[in-house]
């Protein structure tokens, strides 16, 4: 059975009827012009956007991680939370109340890999690119089965992109994470070599 | 002055007031952090006025006020939080409209029935020194309930407060935690009203969280500091109230406001020096 199967899906703000399957270890790009509904598609899969017709089949027990556009959490940037607390959120599961040693280790590993320092700082003290690293670390530290990324490289510098590509390939090869990624960047086709590209219009 | 205060502490009714009051103040402060971060700071105010209207009605009908008011206030808390989220109505507008209506209703009911007697006055401005053992038990039970919830669900409440969409994407039941927060807020208002009065109880929710926010950069720290500030202001307020023979509820609010301003001034001074 595939990791995620989308059949004849129709969502608000999207003109296309969408169907695709995502297998373990696969990477699918979602491209399209501004306003074509790329983010809405991800939100639909997460149950955050209204489904008009069609279906999304996804195993409830899968570990799912989501990196929203930074703008989606901009209002939260003044939130009194430390970077450490934000990244640890990624380790939350529906039946988990407390974080254990493993969770803390996984979060530390992801923060170190993304070269995030001052982990006790407030999120509001970071630049846009640094916030992006924090949001990526939060998703990656969860060791997900299914990863949904919304323009993950926006605001990242060259070093950040390098780390991101490397880490993403790790998840894909070693954990067989299935990845759905919204992107505008043609170059990423060459670097990440997606299995499929879905173009919305 | 201190000797008199120590003597004051030897009375049972004073001890009861201190125990119940400090528990409620700390609980309100912890909940307050969530409410101000979710921009529902005014909900306490709205609910307390609804509680006042219910208590006046109970008074007029000769029914037990707290038992009569509890279901109404809890229902109102659910309605305000859920309606404003689902329908995207500004929380502040909904609360302002509902609360002024409720306050007016309470005043009318009071005028039509017994008039402004001492028990109505007590609901408006509180009567901390008139607490009985039952009040102390009630506030103790309530604080255990709230503190346990905060310990058990801390991480989820944090994620929910931070961003509801993100919480949903993690598979958390956002409605459940929303309902839990509404319930806890309603209960704090109901118990706290006896102490602070309907007109002042919301300050216990807003002030400590506001002050703590100036001092902490992590969520865990802000919660703990908020509770600590609530306790300091509560005891300072009681001390002021005793020494200058002032109403307790109002003195606690003044202590809270004073502490907030002191922190702001110290913070600005520190920045000036740096």
């Amino acid at each position: 059975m595939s990791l995620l199967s989308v059949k004849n899906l129709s969502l608000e703000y999207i003109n296309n009827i969408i169907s695709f399957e995502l297998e373990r270890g696969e990477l699918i790009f979602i491209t399209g012009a501004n306003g074509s509904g790329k983010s809405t598609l991800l939100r639909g899969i997460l149950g955050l956007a209204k489904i008009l017709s069609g279906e999304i089949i996804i195993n409830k027990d899968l570990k799912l991680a989501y990196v929203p556009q930074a703008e989606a959490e901009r209002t939260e940037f003044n939130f009194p939370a430390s970077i450490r607390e934000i990244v640890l959120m990624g380790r939350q599961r529906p039946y988990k109340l407390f974080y254990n040693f493993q969770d803390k280790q996984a979060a530390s590993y992801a923060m170190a890999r993304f070269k995030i320092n001052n982990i006790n700082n407030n999120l509001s003290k970071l630049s846009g690119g640094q916030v992006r690293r924090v949001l990526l670390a939060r998703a990656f530290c969860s060791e997900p089965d299914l990863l949904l990324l919304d323009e993950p490289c926006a605001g990242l510098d060259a070093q950040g992109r390098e780390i991101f590509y490397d880490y993403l390939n790790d998840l894909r090869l070693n954990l067989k994470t299935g990845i759905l990624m919204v992107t505008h960047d043609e170059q990423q086709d060459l670097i990440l070599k997606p299995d499929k590209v879905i173009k919305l219009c | 002055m201190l000797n008199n205060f120590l003597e004051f502490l030897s009375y049972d009714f004073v001890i009861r007031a201190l125990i119940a009051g400090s528990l409620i103040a700390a609980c309100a402060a912890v909940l307050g952090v969530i409410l101000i971060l979710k921009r529902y700071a005014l909900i306490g105010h709205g609910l307390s006025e609804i509680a006042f209207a219910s208590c006046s009605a109970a008074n007029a009908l000769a029914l037990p006020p707290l038992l009569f008011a509890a279901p109404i206030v809890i229902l109102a808390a659910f309605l305000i939080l859920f309606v404003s989220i689902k329908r995207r109505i500004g929380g502040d507008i909904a609360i302002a409209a509902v609360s002024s209506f409720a306050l007016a209703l309470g005043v009318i009911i009071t005028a039509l029935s017994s008039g402004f007697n001492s028990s109505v006055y007590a609901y408006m401005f509180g009567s901390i020194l008139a607490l009985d053992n039952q009040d102390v038990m009630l506030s103790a039970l309530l604080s255990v309930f709230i503190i346990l919830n905060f310990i058990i669900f801390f991480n989820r409440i944090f994620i929910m407060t931070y961003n509801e969409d993100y919480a949903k994407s993690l598979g958390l039941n956002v409605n459940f935690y929303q309902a839990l927060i509404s319930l806890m807020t309603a209960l704090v208002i109901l118990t706290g009203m006896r102490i602070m009065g309907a007109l002042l109880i919301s300050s216990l929710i807003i002030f400590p969280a506001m002050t703590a926010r100036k001092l902490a950069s992590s969520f865990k720290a802000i919660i703990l500091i908020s509770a600590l500030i609530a306790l300091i202001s509560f005891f300072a307020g009681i001390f002021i109230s005793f020494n200058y023979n002032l109403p307790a509820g109002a003195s606690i609010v003044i202590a809270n406001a004073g502490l907030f301003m002191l922190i702001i001034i110290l913070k600005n001074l520190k920045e000036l020096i740096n």
Side-chain angles (χ1 to χ4, degrees):
Chain A
M1 199 186 119
S2 11
L3 212 47
L4 167 71
S5 145
V6 173
K7 288 180 186 155
N8 301 320
L9 184 69
S10 158
L11 293 160
E12 260 180 331
Y13 313 118
I14 301 185
N15 296 323
N16 309 53
I17 302 283
I18 303 156
S19 295
F20 67 90
E21 309 256 321
L22 176 67
E23 309 290 339
R24 283 196 173 275
E26 256 189 349
L27 169 66
I28 297 183
F29 274 8
I30 304 168
T31 63
N34 294 126
S36 58
K38 303 182 293 297
S39 301
T40 308
L41 175 57
L42 292 192
R43 291 175 57 81
I45 292 165
L46 288 164
L48 298 173
K50 200 173 156 195
I51 294 171
L52 299 177
S53 67
E55 59 179 339
I56 296 166
I57 302 162
I58 184 169
N59 185 342
K60 280 261 175 216
D61 300 325
L62 287 182
K63 266 192 280 177
L64 200 147
Y66 170 49
V67 180
Q69 287 188 335
E71 288 74 18
E73 290 188 17
R74 183 162 285 168
T75 50
E76 266 70 55
F77 286 359
N78 273 325
F79 196 93
S82 66
I83 294 168
R84 216 180 88 86
E85 286 177 317
I86 302 282
V87 173
L88 258 175
M89 281 181 184
R91 299 291 298 185
Q92 181 70 44
R93 314 279 338 134
Y95 296 101
K96 175 180 270 180
L97 290 175
F98 304 104
Y99 301 124
N100 56 29
F101 180 67
Q102 258 182 340
D103 295 326
K104 287 171 189 166
Q105 244 185 348
S108 300
Y109 171 77
M111 287 187 284
R113 191 150 175 188
F114 273 107
K115 302 203 187 309
I116 300 165
N117 307 314
N118 303 327
I119 58 171
N120 292 319
N121 255 358
N122 191 294
L123 210 57
S124 64
K125 299 207 169 79
L126 304 184
S127 72
Q130 286 172 311
V131 169
R132 183 101 312 241
R133 289 181 188 218
V134 170
L135 299 185
L136 286 168
R138 180 177 74 180
F140 285 18
C141 81
S142 70
E143 296 160 353
D145 299 305
L146 175 58
L147 179 59
L148 307 180
L149 301 166
D150 201 343
E151 295 185 39
C153 289
L156 279 186
D157 57 13
Q159 182 207 42
R161 277 166 199 253
E162 197 107 319
I163 296 168
F164 167 73
Y165 296 140
D166 200 44
Y167 205 155
L168 195 73
N169 278 327
D170 257 13
L171 291 181
R172 196 173 159 194
L173 295 174
N174 300 331
L175 290 176
K176 297 273 169 251
T177 302
I179 303 155
L180 204 55
M181 175 168 155
V182 170
T183 178
H184 278 300
D185 193 344
E186 307 274 319
Q187 268 199 332
Q188 287 174 352
D189 274 14
L190 303 170
I191 300 164
L192 287 170
K193 301 186 182 68
D195 299 288
K196 278 176 228 167
V197 177
I198 298 170
K199 195 166 165 55
L200 301 182
C201 51
Chain B
M1 188 157 102
L2 203 61
N3 270 343
N4 286 340
F5 190 64
L6 289 176
E7 196 192 316
F8 172 69
L9 289 181
S10 65
Y11 293 109
D12 273 356
F13 70 91
V14 174
I15 297 298
R16 278 200 292 270
L18 291 180
I19 294 173
S22 53
L23 288 174
I24 294 292
C27 288
V30 167
L31 265 175
V33 173
I34 311 292
L35 294 175
I36 68 163
L37 288 174
K38 290 189 84 54
R39 297 179 208 291
Y40 285 111
L42 276 174
I43 194 172
H45 196 64
L47 289 180
S48 62
E49 276 163 19
I50 290 165
F52 168 73
S54 327
C55 286
S56 320
N59 214 27
L61 299 167
L63 293 168
L66 213 53
L67 281 180
F68 183 80
I72 298 175
V73 175
I74 291 168
L75 191 71
F78 284 177
L79 281 179
I80 293 176
L81 281 173
F82 277 98
V83 169
S84 66
I85 289 159
K86 291 276 181 295
R87 304 237 167 256
R88 306 253 171 225
I89 296 171
D92 53 346
I93 302 170
I95 292 165
V98 170
S99 70
S100 51
F101 172 71
L103 184 60
L105 199 65
V107 172
I108 299 267
I109 292 170
T110 306
L112 285 178
S113 57
S114 53
F116 266 86
N117 57 29
S118 63
S119 64
V120 173
Y121 187 83
Y123 288 122
M124 281 193 116
F125 297 104
S127 54
I128 190 168
L129 297 180
L131 299 182
D132 54 26
N133 279 329
Q134 204 190 334
D135 291 314
V136 176
M137 276 299 291
L138 207 61
S139 22
L141 277 176
L142 177 71
S143 14
V144 169
F145 175 69
I146 289 177
I147 290 164
L148 272 183
N149 270 316
F150 263 83
I151 291 173
I152 295 171
F153 297 123
F154 182 81
N155 291 320
R156 282 132 186 256
I157 291 175
F158 168 48
I159 295 174
M160 232 256 337
T161 311
Y162 173 76
N163 187 311
E164 281 177 27
D165 276 358
Y166 183 67
K168 275 186 206 156
S169 82
L170 288 170
L172 300 186
N173 184 348
V174 169
N175 283 342
F176 171 76
Y177 295 100
Q178 192 75 49
L180 187 67
I181 288 166
S182 308
L183 177 67
M184 290 193 289
T185 310
L187 293 175
V188 161
I189 297 291
L190 282 163
T191 1
M193 201 174 62
R194 290 273 287 136
I195 299 168
M196 296 295 294
L199 295 181
L200 296 175
I201 173 72
S202 57
S203 65
L204 286 191
I205 288 179
I206 298 168
F207 268 116
M210 231 165 69
T211 313
R213 216 182 154 175
K214 298 279 166 212
L215 294 171
S217 61
S218 89
F219 190 70
K220 203 172 260 176
I222 189 179
I223 294 261
L224 294 173
I225 292 174
S226 181
L228 188 69
I229 282 171
L231 291 176
I232 294 170
S233 313
F234 174 77
F235 287 110
I238 292 286
F239 187 73
I240 295 166
S241 140
F242 167 76
N243 271 313
Y244 301 101
N245 199 19
L246 292 168
S251 307
I252 294 165
V253 179
I254 298 294
N256 260 307
L259 199 56
F260 176 69
M261 284 186 263
L262 184 72
I263 299 287
I264 296 278
I265 291 167
L266 287 179
K267 259 200 112 174
N268 283 332
L269 272 182
K270 198 180 143 205
E271 266 168 37
L272 264 178
I273 292 164
N274 289 340

